[in-house]
Amino acid sequence: MFLLNASQRITLTSRLVNPRHVLKCSGSLSRINRPNAGFILTNSRELGGSPSSPQRVTLPNKLTSTTKTWVDHMPRSIQPYLYLTRIDKPIGTLLLFYPCAWSITMASYALEVPFTTPLTYIGLFGLGAIIMRGAGCTINDMWDKNLDKAVERTKDRPLARGDITPRQAFGFLGMQLTAGLGVLLQLNWYSILLGASSLSVVTIYPFMKRITHWPQAVLGLAFNWGALLGWSAVAGTVNWSVCLPLYAGGVCWTLVYDSIYAHQDKNDDVNVGIRSTALLFGSHTRPIISALSLSSLSLITYAGFLNVQGAPFYAGVGLASLQLARVLYQTDFDCRPSCWKGFVGCGWAGFWIWVGALADYALMLTGTS
């Protein structure tokens, strides 16, 4: 399908002539440079008109801000800061949390510690994931304030829209990092140093999209640090033989879900000079991220093997495999809503891996493993 101005003509493919599909996937299309709502010319026969006259399908001017969330019911003075942290979209926090949860649970299984140990650290790392995911979003938006203004999906973010100033965002970031440090200080010194060392990767990630097509790989290095940190929190040190393949598997998993995510903005990214694996992979995205999915699951399975995990762990990995296969089969990389659905769907793969590890640990506690 082609976006046209009033002087152009269009012939739609049979798949996209349905106006419902046009509206559903309009977010993935390049926008005409105009102040008001855009339009797509469609074959009017499909809309019930005469075959010779095209009709306009009006698209909403804002694709994201029309949806109300619980944040809109909070005091107006704090709404921009809540939106800055993306706390209304918990999927990012979960994607950061799951590698921590895998590692904590697998270490607890290996060391046969009482349930209070993983319970304590799951709580700490859960809180830490909420805080540090929000801090990462603040850092990202401070870097990308001007770029976000030129991207349809991000132009209404608080910094891009001017709801808060860079100085206010910097002060808020200081509060977030202080809170994150408070959580980190609850761990042993080995883990404190290991956790602090990840901040440099978090900070440079937004810059990577300006110089390389692989910013998703850098994000993977940052987002899966918990695969190392979770184990050290429980054990006092990292079992590198288990944690390195677990970490590498998590990085491959991030490349899968964040490449899908990046397809939402690929048209705008070309215009503003942002690079991503979505643009690098192009029409080969599906086979490439299928290979990355296989690599991710293989590495995580290998980590489980080295940790002498039981059948429930591998059942969890099997469910994760089915979930990723479903996402890869169903996602339309030229449709923004479909990409968002696929991105969220990848999170369930991480959930099932954790469920498998939890089941293994529970069986160990009951003596039936």
Side-chain angles (χ1 to χ4, degrees), residues 62-357:
K62 294 182 179 180
L63 299 177
T64 57
S65 61
T66 56
T67 302
K68 296 294 184 181
T69 72
W70 62 268
V71 175
D72 295 301
H73 301 288
M74 302 298 288
R76 293 183 63 86
S77 60
I78 67 171
Q79 286 182 20
Y81 296 98
L82 294 174
Y83 277 122
L84 185 63
T85 66
R86 320 276 206 278
I87 198 170
D88 57 312
K89 298 175 180 177
I91 180 60
T93 299
L94 292 171
L95 292 170
L96 180 60
F97 169 73
Y98 285 139
C100 306
W102 303 341
S103 188
I104 291 169
T105 308
M106 291 173 69
S108 299
Y109 171 85
L111 299 175
E112 300 185 3
V113 298
F115 76 93
T116 52
T117 299
L119 187 63
T120 298
Y121 289 117
I122 287 294
L124 282 173
F125 277 71
L127 177 60
I130 294 172
I131 295 170
M132 293 310 297
R133 186 265 182 138
C137 290
T138 301
I139 293 171
N140 182 79
D141 287 8
M142 290 174 67
W143 272 96
D144 290 352
K145 178 173 68 75
N146 294 326
L147 291 177
D148 284 344
K149 294 177 182 179
V151 177
E152 181 66 33
R153 187 180 57 84
T154 61
K155 68 180 183 181
D156 286 330
R157 286 179 176 173
L159 274 167
R161 195 167 58 183
D163 294 340
I164 56 176
T165 66
R167 184 174 180 177
Q168 290 173 316
F170 185 76
F172 181 57
L173 176 62
M175 295 172 59
Q176 291 174 293
L177 294 179
T178 300
L181 178 61
V183 174
L184 187 62
L185 289 176
Q186 306 307 306
L187 309 180
N188 56 67
W189 275 106
Y190 184 99
S191 299
I192 291 172
L193 295 175
L194 180 63
S197 65
S198 69
L199 191 58
S200 58
V201 184
V202 175
T203 303
I204 66 171
Y205 159 68
F207 180 65
M208 292 296 103
K209 66 186 73 173
R210 294 162 168 81
I211 63 173
T212 176
H213 281 98
W214 292 93
Q216 283 70 30
V218 180
L219 181 70
L221 296 176
F223 253 54
N224 292 280
W225 206 260
L228 309 176
L229 190 59
W231 194 290
S232 72
V234 174
T237 186
V238 176
N239 183 340
W240 295 103
S241 65
V242 174
C243 291
L244 279 180
L246 187 67
Y247 180 64
V251 172
C252 291
W253 178 51
T254 301
L255 279 165
V256 173
Y257 65 68
D258 206 49
S259 294
I260 295 174
Y261 184 88
H263 270 277
Q264 296 178 101
D265 302 323
K266 58 187 176 183
N267 294 327
D268 289 328
D269 287 350
V270 170
N271 295 330
V272 299
I274 295 176
R275 303 179 186 184
S276 70
T277 50
L279 295 176
L280 179 65
F281 298 164
S283 60
H284 303 292
T285 292
R286 202 177 309 276
I288 291 175
I289 65 174
S290 296
L292 286 168
S293 297
L294 180 61
S295 298
S296 173
L297 296 166
S298 298
L299 286 163
I300 292 170
T301 300
Y302 182 56
F305 171 76
L306 293 174
N307 202 44
V308 198
Q309 296 286 160
F313 177 83
Y314 300 111
V317 175
L319 290 173
S321 304
L322 293 175
Q323 174 64 14
L324 287 177
R326 186 183 70 83
V327 167
L328 294 172
Y329 177 75
Q330 293 183 350
T331 301
D332 179 354
F333 298 111
D334 294 320
C335 176
R336 182 174 290 168
S338 181
C339 288
W340 174 257
K341 183 178 179 181
F343 169 67
V344 174
C346 286
W348 283 100
F351 171 77
W352 288 121
I353 293 169
W354 183 35
V355 167

Side-chain angles (χ1 to χ4, degrees), residues 6-75:
S7 65
Q8 294 174 304
R9 306 181 66 104
I10 188 167
T11 301
L12 296 177
T13 64
S14 59
R15 178 169 176 263
L16 295 181
V17 292
N18 188 327
R20 291 183 180 179
H21 187 87
V22 170
L23 288 173
K24 179 181 178 182
C25 294
S26 60
S28 67
L29 302 173
S30 298
R31 307 277 294 182
I32 301 172
N33 185 16
R34 62 200 182 284
N36 299 316
F39 61 87
I40 299 173
L41 295 183
T42 67
N43 185 332
S44 60
R45 185 192 299 271
E46 296 295 326
L47 301 177
S50 64
S52 59
S53 60
Q55 293 188 7
R56 293 184 179 185
V57 177
T58 303
L59 303 180
N61 193 40
K62 294 182 179 180
L63 299 177
T64 57
S65 61
T66 56
T67 302
K68 296 294 184 181
T69 72
W70 62 268
V71 175
D72 295 301
H73 301 288
M74 302 298 288

